[in-house]
């Protein structure tokens, strides 16, 4: 498939991610985060913002392309299995290339020079002829030229001086410039012109930006600079394997190699070399060099041998001593070996290539063996253990107890610094010119390193003291006027490979080198600010580093777990490239956002968002630190710098957000980079402004209606109260009227009869008739009073009571007047509520009708039929003389009152003559 590396992560694409084939023949970078992909099938694809899509030609035809080249005429040319094609008008048009009538196919590789394409066919397809042939195609004329040489060509490349080089079976050759004009392709040996060894063949050819030639062969990678200097890279000096398939130089001038079996290898600096063995069979256990010499001394403890490496020449001496040693030291052409409590001086026999070690000093009182040995400016030997021992050149020995084991010491400006594991820092003044007063203790700092567990120390030319610790990184102190001031602490957060610093070294340029179990780091000062370069980590060389020293020629020699490393002072290559901080992937939930340049509006449910950022730099990508600030959230501070390039947000509230990200490069190679991405999370509909306005309007409307309803109810209640008061008043008036009319008239008659009786009594006349009349009037008044009370009593407001009371009255009244009655009522009378007005009007209408029958009809029989449905129907029929409407007075109070009473309760009154008189009352009943 296809793997994309952005400095933070590898993103792998296969057929499951949209690739047409898992074998990719070619890729072309079209822009930032945009690639043209050529799979090993009849398909052309492209990738934009991490999404693979198919490219459709106008005729849906794509050959199996091995290489796609954009040439100077603006067209893409395809070197394909089916032949040679030019891409124009959105389709691939075949260009005929023939040799003796045979079409040229299986084109695999080509380059353009001066509007001519130099191509070769696949040299490995021996069953197809021609194989490995050279074809030259003129872009302007369309003419082609095919070589007749039977020797296959394996690779074709361009030189900085505009020549075409070809890798063939018998070496690397240059194509003659006039071959196309003469019609015959001719070759000449290119070895002398480009300093190519004669035995080189089957190679990959590449010229870098410094015009150095790189040749990839089976046994390794050979670099030849323009002056002819060579350097060979293989598995013995840093490459994972010797056989490399292709080479690429990126915008930072880093060389990338593709191993046949071990994947990708990058060479950040071409002058860093890892030697498993500087000399075959020699296993270095200790090395020594210093700024006064270019000699490198190495000691092999297992074989008891010393190797002198000087300007590429090696000389090995075998020891005659039976025992072996721990470390080697060279002072002014004198070589010393040390082990535990002993120091030996070495003498060499150049003829026999042997050395002998003579005991120079032994300290049998030391609790620990010598942990570190260093010379002063006068080549006096200073040994460090749980005490400080100085072996002066005049043979005098000076010692000073430290109280606990110290691991390293450093000398600067005749000041000696050492720190013990008991967290004490010692400062001595050295007086080499005064041997009797050589060592002077100036100060013991027992507070500045509390709980730091120091393991290493060095001092630079600016009187700065650097302390390496067991778990807390490096402490930097400035020393002025005998006072020590804390400046800064360096940890893995600042770029160190490890917080355990076992050895520190200050080179002549003032750079600090830190050795740790995780690798070698370099601390440099740029414009007043310290930066950290991961020397071994940047080249993916992760191994324990023990010690580093610098030679006179400014080469740094490093003792490592797996051999020796040589580092030049200028580690990272120079380039004009500046990495841009990018959002390489944005995911909303599980869905990727295609275009990070847009400002999406997301729903309130899309509030889980993740971002992947990258600042593609490959010099030392592990030294890139990312931090972010989400503007629009409650957090107002930037996050702590971290190597994590993934940023995740969960359950974000609705709002407008801008994610600001910055990338800081701890190695100081590039300025800080920034990038922003804005997005909007829309609120749910119940939190939108229009909903809130609508809700507010609705609330206001409800309040208004509630107020109106309240006052309407209040007014309605007041109206009901007023109506009740009015009805009560009306009822009072009616009762007063009834009492006045009915009872008042009766009382007046009784009063009149009483006065008449009084007069008759004085006149001694009979008063019996008057007494009978008074009795009749009294009974009538009692009846009317009962009727008034019945009408007023709310307990009687039912249909049953109305019918029962009316029936009883009708039967009794007719019986008193000797009229036969027949009253029919339903067996079941519904339990309905009827108002007092309803009862009174029905009752009085029946009463008035019966009164008319008794008074005017001359009837002897009356029938009353009561029917109940949705209406109350009462039919009153007598067998009297009948009803003649013309004989009725126009303004008869009885008939008028009857009609009005029935009309007041929405009923109908009908009177007709039918074998007597029939009166029909129909009144709607309440539901």
């Amino acid at each position: 498939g296809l793997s994309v590396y952005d400095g933070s992560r590898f993103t792998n694409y296969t057929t499951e991610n949209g690739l047409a084939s898992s074998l990719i023949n070619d890729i072309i970078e079209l822009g930032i985060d945009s690639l043209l992909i050529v799979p090993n099938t009849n398909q052309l694809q492209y990738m934009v913002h991490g999404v693979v899509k198919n490219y459709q030609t106008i005729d849906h035809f794509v050959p199996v392309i091995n290489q796609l080249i954009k040439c100077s005429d603006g067209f893409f040319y395809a070197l394909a299995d089916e032949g040679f094609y030019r891409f124009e008008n959105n389709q691939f048009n075949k260009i005929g290339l023939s040799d003796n009538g045979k079409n040229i196919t299986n084109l695999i590789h080509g380059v353009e020079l001066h509007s001519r394409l130099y191509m070769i066919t696949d040299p490995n397809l021996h069953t197809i002829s021609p194989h490995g042939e050279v074809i030259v195609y003129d872009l302007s004329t369309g003419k082609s030229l095919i070589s007749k040489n039977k020797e296959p060509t394996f690779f074709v490349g361009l030189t900085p001086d505009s020549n075409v080089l070809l890798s063939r079976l018998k070496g690397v050759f240059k194509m003659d410039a006039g071959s196309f004009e003469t019609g015959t392709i001719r070759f000449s040996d290119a070895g002398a012109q480009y300093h190519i060894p004669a035995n080189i063949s089957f190679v990959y050819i590449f010229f870098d930006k410094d015009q150095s030639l790189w040749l990839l062969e089976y046994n390794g990678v050979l670099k030849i600079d323009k002056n002819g200097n060579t350097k060979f890279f293989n598995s013995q000096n840093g490459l994972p394997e010797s056989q490399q398939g292709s080479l690429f130089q990126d915008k930072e001038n880093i060389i990338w190699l593709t191993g046949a079996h071990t994947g990708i290898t990058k060479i950040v600096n071409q002058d860093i070399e890892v030697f498993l063995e500087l000399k075959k069979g020699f296993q270095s256990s200790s090395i020594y060099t210093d700024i006064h010499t270019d000699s490198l001394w190495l000691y092999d403890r297992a074989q008891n041998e010393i190797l002198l490496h000087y300007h590429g020449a090696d000389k090995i001496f075998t020891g005659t001593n039976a025992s072996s040693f721990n470390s080697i030291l060279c002072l002014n052409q004198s070589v010393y070996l040390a082990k535990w409590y002993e120091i030996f001086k070495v003498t060499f026999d150049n003829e026999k290539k042997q050395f002998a070690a003579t005991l120079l000093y032994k300290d049998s009182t030391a609790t620990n063996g010598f942990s570190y040995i260093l010379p002063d400016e006068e080549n006096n030997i200073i040994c460090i253990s749980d005490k400080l021992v100085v072996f002066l050149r005049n043979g005098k020995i000076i010692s000073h107890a430290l109280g606990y084991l110290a691991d390293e010491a450093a000398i600067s400006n005749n000041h000696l610094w050492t720190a013990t594991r008991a967290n004490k820092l010692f400062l001595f003044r050295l007086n080499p010119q005064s041997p009797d007063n050589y060592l002077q203790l100036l100060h013991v700092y027992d507070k500045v390193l509390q709980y730091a567990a120091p393991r290493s120390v060095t001092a630079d030319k600016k009187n700065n003291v650097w302390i390496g610790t067991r778990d807390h990184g490096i402490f930097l102190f400035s020393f002025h006027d005998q006072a020590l001031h804390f400046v800064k602490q360096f940890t893995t957060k600042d770029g160190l490979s490890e917080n355990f610093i076992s050895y520190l070294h200050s080179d002549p340029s003032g750079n600090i080198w830190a050795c740790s179990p995780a690798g070698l780091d370099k601390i440099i000062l740029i414009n007043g600010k310290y930066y950290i370069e991961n020397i071994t980590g940047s080249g993916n060389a992760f191994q324990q580093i023990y010690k580093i020293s610098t030679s006179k020629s400014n080469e740094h020699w490093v003792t490592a777990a797996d051999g020796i490393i040589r580092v030049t002072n200028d580690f990272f290559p120079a380039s004009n490239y500046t990495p841009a901080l990018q959002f390489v992937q944005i995911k909303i939930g599980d869905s990727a956002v295609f275009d990070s340049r847009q400002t999406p509006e997301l729903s309130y449910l899309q509030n889980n968002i993740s971002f992947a950022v990258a600042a593609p730099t490959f010099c030392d990508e592990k030294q890139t630190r990312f931090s972010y600030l989400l503007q629009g959230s409650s957090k107002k501070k930037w996050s702590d710098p971290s190597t994590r390039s993934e940023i995740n947000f969960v359950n974000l509230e609705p709002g407008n957000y801008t994610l600001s990200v910055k990338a800081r490069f701890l190695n100081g190679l590039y300025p800080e980079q920034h990038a922003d991405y804005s997005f909007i999370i829309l609120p749910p509909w119940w939190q939108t402004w229009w909903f809130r306005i609508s809700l507010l309007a609705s609330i206001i409307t409800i309040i208004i209606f509630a107020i109106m309803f309240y006052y309407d109810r209040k007014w309605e209640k007041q109206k009901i109260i007023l109506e009740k008061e009015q009805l009560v008043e009306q009822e009072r008036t009616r009762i007063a009227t009834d009492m006045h009319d009915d009872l008042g008239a009766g009382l007046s008659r009784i009063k009149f009869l009483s006065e008449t009786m009084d007069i008759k009594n004085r006149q001694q006349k009979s008063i019996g008739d008057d007494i009978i009349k008074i009795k009749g009037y009294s009974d009538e008044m009692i009846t009317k009073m009962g009727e008034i009370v019945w009408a007023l009593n709310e307990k009687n407001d039912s249909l049953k009571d109305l019918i029962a009371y009316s029936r009883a009255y009708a039967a009794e009244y007719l019986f008193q007047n000797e009229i036969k009655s027949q009253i029919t009522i339903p067996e079941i009378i519904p339990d309905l509520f009827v108002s007092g007005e309803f009862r009174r009007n029905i009752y009085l209408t029946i009463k008035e009708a019966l009164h008319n029958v008794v008074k005017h009809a001359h009837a002897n029989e009356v029938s009353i039929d009561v029917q109940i449905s949705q209406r109350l129907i009462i039919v009153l029929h007598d067998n009297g003389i009948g009803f003649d409407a013309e004989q009725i007075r126009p303004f008869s109070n009885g008939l008028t009152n009857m009609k009005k009473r029935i009309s007041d309760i929405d009923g109908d009154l009908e009177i007709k003559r039918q074998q007597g008189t029939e009166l029909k009352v129909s009144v709607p009943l309440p539901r």
Side-chain angles (χ1 to χ4, degrees):
L2 176 67
S3 294
V4 179
Y5 183 47
D6 57 24
S8 297
R9 67 193 62 78
F10 274 98
T11 305
N12 300 315
Y13 298 86
T14 65
T15 52
E16 294 182 358
N17 307 105
L19 288 182
S21 170
S22 292
L23 178 61
I24 305 301
N25 291 345
D26 198 8
I27 52 175
I28 298 175
E29 185 180 13
L30 300 177
I32 295 178
D33 203 14
S34 178
L35 296 174
L36 190 61
I37 304 172
V38 181
N40 187 46
T41 186
N42 296 100
Q43 184 65 58
L44 188 63
Q45 298 183 294
Y46 64 94
M47 177 192 293
V48 178
H49 302 299
V51 179
V52 178
K53 294 189 176 183
N54 294 328
Y55 183 86
Q56 296 296 337
T57 60
I58 194 171
D59 57 357
H60 302 285
F61 168 74
V62 177
V64 180
I65 303 171
N66 296 309
Q67 185 183 6
L68 195 62
I69 307 173
K70 187 173 184 180
C71 294
S72 57
D73 61 358
F75 291 104
F76 278 100
Y77 288 85
L79 282 64
D81 286 354
E82 295 89 336
F84 185 49
Y85 294 83
R86 178 168 53 232
F87 185 72
E88 56 184 330
N89 299 325
N90 197 25
Q91 63 181 354
F92 286 95
N93 297 318
K94 190 169 185 178
I95 299 174
L97 301 173
S98 61
D99 181 26
N100 296 326
K102 294 182 179 180
N103 290 327
I104 299 296
T105 58
N106 298 296
L107 292 167
I108 192 169
H109 177 62
V111 295
E112 182 194 3
L113 177 65
H114 302 322
S115 296
R116 288 175 181 167
L117 270 176
Y118 296 83
M119 302 171 285
I120 61 171
T121 58
D122 193 342
N124 300 306
L125 298 178
H126 300 285
T127 58
I128 300 176
S129 182
H131 65 278
E133 286 290 2
V134 179
I135 300 98
V136 183
Y137 177 78
D138 193 306
L139 300 176
S140 58
T141 64
K143 296 181 179 180
S144 60
L145 184 64
I146 301 173
S147 66
K148 303 298 182 181
N149 198 313
K150 300 302 180 182
E151 181 183 343
T153 300
F154 294 93
F155 196 81
V156 57
L158 299 178
T159 69
D161 56 352
S162 300
N163 282 314
V164 178
L165 295 185
L166 302 109
S167 169
R168 315 197 80 191
L169 283 174
K170 297 180 180 180
V172 178
F173 295 86
K174 179 180 71 173
M175 180 178 288
D176 289 349
S179 294
F180 198 85
E181 286 72 15
T182 60
T184 302
I185 294 178
R186 298 190 300 271
F187 308 102
S188 62
D189 184 53
Q193 184 175 352
Y194 298 102
H195 313 286
I196 302 173
N199 58 346
I200 292 292
S201 62
F202 303 100
V203 295
Y204 182 101
I205 302 169
F206 181 81
F207 281 88
D208 64 20
K209 296 174 184 178
D210 293 329
Q211 300 183 11
S212 295
L213 172 61
W214 295 73
L215 300 172
L216 277 61
E217 56 174 331
Y218 291 120
N219 298 322
V221 178
L222 178 64
K223 175 190 174 185
I224 308 171
D225 67 19
K226 56 186 176 182
N227 297 320
N229 300 314
T230 63
K231 181 172 290 186
F232 193 66
F233 300 89
N234 60 11
S235 58
Q236 297 300 310
N237 64 350
L239 289 184
E241 65 173 320
S242 296
Q243 186 177 352
Q244 300 292 323
S246 62
L247 184 149
F248 171 72
Q249 187 176 29
D250 66 16
K251 296 175 182 178
E252 294 181 287
N253 297 330
I254 298 173
I255 299 296
W256 297 79
L257 298 166
T258 59
H261 309 92
T262 55
I264 300 295
T265 302
K266 66 174 180 177
I267 303 177
V268 177
N269 184 280
Q270 300 161 20
D271 291 324
I272 179 172
E273 296 178 86
V274 180
F275 301 96
L276 299 179
E277 298 176 348
L278 191 62
K279 187 74 173 179
K280 188 174 181 179
F282 188 93
Q283 300 289 330
S284 300
S285 58
S286 176
I287 65 173
Y288 181 84
T289 188
D290 58 40
I291 59 174
H292 303 294
T293 179
D294 281 333
S295 298
L296 177 67
W297 294 89
L298 303 96
Y299 178 72
D300 185 342
R301 182 178 181 180
Q303 302 181 78
N304 194 24
E305 291 181 340
I306 293 176
L307 185 149
L308 171 61
H309 179 80
Y310 182 75
H311 292 296
D314 296 327
K315 190 180 291 187
I316 295 180
F317 300 89
T318 304
T320 59
N321 304 69
S323 62
S324 58
F325 307 92
N326 297 333
S327 59
I328 188 169
L329 180 72
C330 179
L331 304 176
N332 196 21
Q333 303 302 317
S334 296
V335 177
Y336 300 88
L337 291 169
K339 70 173 184 178
W340 302 115
Y341 315 105
E342 302 171 330
I343 297 178
F344 297 82
K345 187 172 182 179
V346 178
T347 57
F348 294 94
D349 186 336
N350 287 320
E351 292 183 1
K352 295 182 179 181
K353 296 183 179 180
Q354 293 180 338
F355 74 88
T358 304
L359 181 65
L360 190 64
Y361 170 75
K362 181 176 181 179
D363 186 0
S364 58
T365 64
T367 304
N368 300 284
F370 297 132
S371 56
Y372 188 68
I373 301 175
L374 76 161
D376 66 7
E377 295 179 355
E378 299 297 327
N379 289 331
N380 298 304
I381 301 175
I382 302 174
C383 304
I384 305 297
S385 63
D386 52 9
K387 60 183 176 179
L388 189 151
V389 179
V390 182
F391 187 80
L392 298 179
R393 293 175 61 188
N394 61 7
K396 184 178 181 180
I397 297 175
I398 303 171
S399 68
H400 190 287
L402 300 176
Y404 210 81
L405 178 64
D407 293 273
E408 188 180 359
I411 298 175
S412 175
N413 299 324
N414 282 331
H415 287 96
L416 184 143
W417 299 86
T418 189
T420 69
R421 296 190 180 186
N423 301 321
K424 292 183 179 181
L425 178 63
F426 289 81
L427 171 62
F428 296 90
R429 184 187 296 280
L430 303 181
N431 300 298
Q433 306 304 327
S434 178
D436 295 335
N437 191 30
Y438 178 83
L439 193 63
Q440 179 185 0
L441 179 63
L442 296 181
H443 203 285
V444 179
Y445 302 92
D446 55 358
K447 302 296 184 183
V448 296
L449 296 177
Q450 283 187 330
Y451 313 109
R455 290 295 186 272
S456 54
V457 61
T458 191
D460 60 29
K461 294 181 177 180
K462 295 182 179 180
N463 286 330
N464 294 320
V465 182
W466 301 73
I467 308 294
T469 67
R470 177 65 179 83
D471 296 302
H472 303 287
I474 300 173
F475 290 90
L476 170 61
F477 299 92
S478 64
F479 180 70
H480 295 288
D481 300 328
Q482 303 300 313
L484 202 64
H485 304 280
F486 174 77
V487 177
K488 183 176 175 60
Q489 180 183 6
F490 300 88
T491 65
T492 52
K493 290 184 178 180
D494 303 289
L496 288 180
S497 298
E498 170 67 64
N499 284 331
F500 178 17
I501 307 302
S502 58
Y503 188 87
L504 285 171
H505 170 66
S506 177
D507 67 17
S509 301
N511 301 314
I512 304 299
W513 299 76
C515 303
S516 71
L520 177 65
D521 298 327
K522 177 182 175 183
I523 305 175
I524 59 176
L525 181 64
I526 302 175
N527 298 326
K529 191 173 183 179
Y530 288 100
Y531 297 92
I532 299 177
E533 299 174 352
N534 299 140
I535 303 302
T536 53
S538 63
N540 293 322
F542 301 103
Q543 56 178 303
Q544 185 167 1
I545 305 298
Y546 300 111
K547 184 181 177 182
I548 180 173
S549 54
T550 305
S551 68
K552 182 179 179 180
S553 59
N554 211 27
E555 290 183 336
H556 308 286
W557 291 92
V558 183
T559 306
D562 295 331
I564 297 171
I565 302 174
R566 183 184 70 87
V567 183
T568 60
N569 196 38
D570 296 327
F571 183 70
F572 289 111
S575 69
N576 296 322
Y577 172 78
T578 300
L581 180 59
Q582 305 174 33
F583 290 93
V584 296
Q585 187 182 67
I586 302 170
K587 294 185 71 176
I588 301 171
D590 295 328
S591 301
V593 177
F594 180 73
D595 193 349
S596 63
R597 296 168 295 181
Q598 297 179 348
T599 302
E601 292 186 350
L602 312 175
S603 76
Y604 70 97
L605 297 174
Q606 296 174 301
N607 59 350
N608 296 333
I609 307 177
S610 62
F611 299 86
V613 298
T617 170
F618 305 103
C619 286
D620 193 0
E621 58 266 42
K622 301 175 189 66
Q623 292 294 79
T624 305
R625 297 291 184 272
F626 301 96
S627 58
Y628 65 89
L629 171 65
L630 184 61
Q631 301 176 40
S633 68
S634 59
K635 294 183 179 180
K636 305 301 180 184
K637 292 183 179 180
W638 286 84
S639 66
D640 294 332
S642 169
T643 56
R644 287 186 56 84
S645 58
E646 290 81 18
I647 305 170
N648 299 297
F649 299 105
V650 179
N651 294 330
L652 286 175
E653 294 292 330
N656 294 353
Y657 295 95
T658 297
L659 176 62
S660 297
V661 185
K662 57 184 178 183
R664 180 187 173 202
F665 307 95
L666 301 183
N667 50 29
L669 291 178
Y670 305 109
E672 192 172 84
Q673 298 295 304
H674 295 261
D676 295 321
Y677 180 76
S678 297
F679 60 96
I680 300 171
I681 298 181
L682 299 174
W685 59 268
W686 61 84
Q687 293 181 3
T688 57
W689 63 267
W690 55 265
F691 176 76
R692 291 178 177 177
I693 292 176
S694 301
L695 181 61
L696 180 60
S698 300
I699 292 173
I700 293 174
T701 303
I702 291 171
I703 292 173
I704 292 173
F705 276 104
I707 294 172
M708 293 176 63
F709 178 76
Y710 170 75
Y711 283 105
D712 284 345
R713 288 292 303 273
K714 186 175 180 180
W715 294 334
E716 187 69 25
K717 288 180 179 180
Q718 291 178 352
K719 181 180 178 182
I720 292 172
I721 292 172
L722 291 174
E723 288 179 349
K724 284 185 176 180
E725 291 177 352
Q726 187 177 10
L727 290 174
V728 170
E729 187 65 28
Q730 290 177 355
E731 191 67 14
R732 287 175 178 175
T733 303
R734 186 192 63 78
I735 293 172
T737 302
D738 289 345
M739 293 181 69
H740 178 270
D741 292 344
D742 296 334
L743 300 180
L747 290 172
S748 297
R749 285 196 291 270
I750 290 173
K751 180 183 178 184
F752 176 77
L753 288 174
S754 298
E755 292 175 349
T756 303
M757 289 174 63
D758 183 57
I759 295 171
K760 287 183 176 181
N761 186 42
R762 284 197 299 257
Q763 295 176 356
Q764 297 182 351
K765 291 182 179 180
S766 175
I767 57 174
D769 294 336
D770 293 329
I771 292 173
I772 293 173
K773 289 181 181 179
I774 290 175
K775 181 177 179 299
Y777 291 148
S778 298
D779 292 338
E780 184 178 352
M781 289 175 62
I782 291 172
T783 301
K784 289 182 178 180
M785 180 63 72
E787 292 175 357
I788 293 173
V789 172
W790 174 80
L792 291 176
N793 193 349
E794 293 181 354
K795 295 181 179 180
N796 301 321
D797 288 346
S798 68
L799 184 61
K800 288 182 178 179
D801 190 79
L802 169 62
I803 294 175
Y805 191 83
S806 300
R807 176 179 178 278
Y809 170 80
E812 183 179 358
Y813 181 72
L814 292 174
F815 177 77
Q816 289 177 356
N817 290 279
E818 298 180 352
I819 298 176
K820 186 179 179 181
S821 62
Q822 182 178 355
I823 302 173
T824 305
I825 60 175
E827 293 183 1
I828 298 176
I829 300 175
D831 190 12
L832 294 177
F833 168 82
V834 291
S835 65
E837 180 187 11
F838 185 94
R839 290 188 296 112
R840 184 176 60 253
N841 290 349
I842 293 294
Y843 170 73
L844 293 177
T845 300
I846 294 173
K847 182 179 179 182
E848 183 69 26
L850 292 175
H851 177 72
N852 291 334
V853 169
V854 172
K855 186 176 181 181
H856 304 292
H858 304 293
N860 58 12
E861 186 176 348
V862 174
S863 65
I864 301 174
D865 184 21
V866 179
Q867 302 173 18
I868 300 173
S869 57
Q870 293 184 0
R871 300 177 71 89
L872 174 62
I873 301 173
I874 300 174
V875 179
L876 190 150
H877 186 265
D878 64 66
N879 59 355
I881 60 175
F883 172 77
D884 188 359
E886 296 179 357
Q887 298 298 323
I888 300 301
R889 296 191 304 269
F891 303 104
S892 173
N893 290 332
L895 184 58
T896 302
N897 290 337
M898 291 169 62
K899 290 183 176 180
K900 183 176 185 308
R901 288 190 182 101
I902 298 303
S903 176
D904 287 344
I905 55 177
D906 298 328
D908 298 321
L909 177 65
E910 182 181 357
I911 301 175
K912 59 183 178 179
R913 188 170 184 176
Q914 185 176 347
Q915 296 179 355
T917 302
E918 181 181 278
L919 182 143
K920 183 179 182 181
V921 176
S922 176
V923 183
L925 289 173
R927 294 183 179 273

